[in-house]
């Protein structure tokens, strides 16, 4: 369920201490961005394609860096975990970094 966040007036000097229902990201803009290209799902009967650079995420990363003030990192799960296969049933497979490794990388960032 998506919960709408309250909108602060432009001249508001509220802080998250005064309004605990407002996340810090609204008060202090986010300056660290981790862009994630998730693991790929494919049919057991389909051959895997070679892992390609996620061009769209690359464009987003370069735009954020050009805007200045952003620390940007990318996590390309299919490329970094290409040799990792996981059977998810119904003749489907996932290749890419496993969930625990993705979680660890997010927390590390």
């Amino acid at each position: 369920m998506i919960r709408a966040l309250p909108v602060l007036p432009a001249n508001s000097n509220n802080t998250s201490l005064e309004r605990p229902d407002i996340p810090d990201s609204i008060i202090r803009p986010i300056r660290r961005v981790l862009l994630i290209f998730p693991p790929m799902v494919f049919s057991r009967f389909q051959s895997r394609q070679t892992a390609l650079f996620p061009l769209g995420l690359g464009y987003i990363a370069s735009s954020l860096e050009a805007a200045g003030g952003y620390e940007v990192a990318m996590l390309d799960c299919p490329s970094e975990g290409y040799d990792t296969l996981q059977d998810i049933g119904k003749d489907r497979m996932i290749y890419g970094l496993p969930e625990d490794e993705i979680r660890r990388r997010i927390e590390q960032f």
Side-chain angles (χ1 to χ4, degrees):
M1 180 175 171
I2 299 174
R3 182 175 66 94
L5 296 174
V7 177
L8 292 175
N11 61 355
S12 174
N13 291 327
N14 286 350
T15 66
S16 59
L17 297 175
E18 295 171 13
R19 298 281 308 267
D21 59 322
I22 299 176
D24 280 346
S25 61
I26 292 178
I27 306 300
R28 288 179 288 189
I30 296 171
R31 293 297 179 192
R32 298 179 73 215
V33 180
L34 176 62
L35 300 171
I36 301 173
F37 187 53
M40 301 294 290
V41 177
F42 67 101
S43 169
R44 177 186 313 274
F45 308 108
Q46 175 185 9
S47 64
R48 288 188 290 171
Q49 294 181 349
T50 57
L52 301 173
F53 179 75
L55 191 58
L57 290 183
Y59 285 136
I60 293 170
S62 66
S63 296
L64 288 171
E65 288 178 349
Y70 292 96
E71 177 186 344
V72 182
M74 288 180 56
L75 179 57
D76 185 1
C77 297
S79 294
E80 294 186 37
Y82 188 79
D83 294 330
T84 305
L85 291 174
Q86 178 184 358
D87 186 350
I88 58 172
K90 295 188 179 182
D91 296 324
R92 301 264 185 236
M93 303 285 286
I94 294 178
Y95 76 92
L97 292 176
E99 290 178 19
D100 56 338
E101 177 65 15
I102 296 169
R103 184 176 293 111
R104 187 186 70 76
R105 299 266 190 103
I106 292 170
E107 291 170 354
Q108 188 178 26
F109 182 73

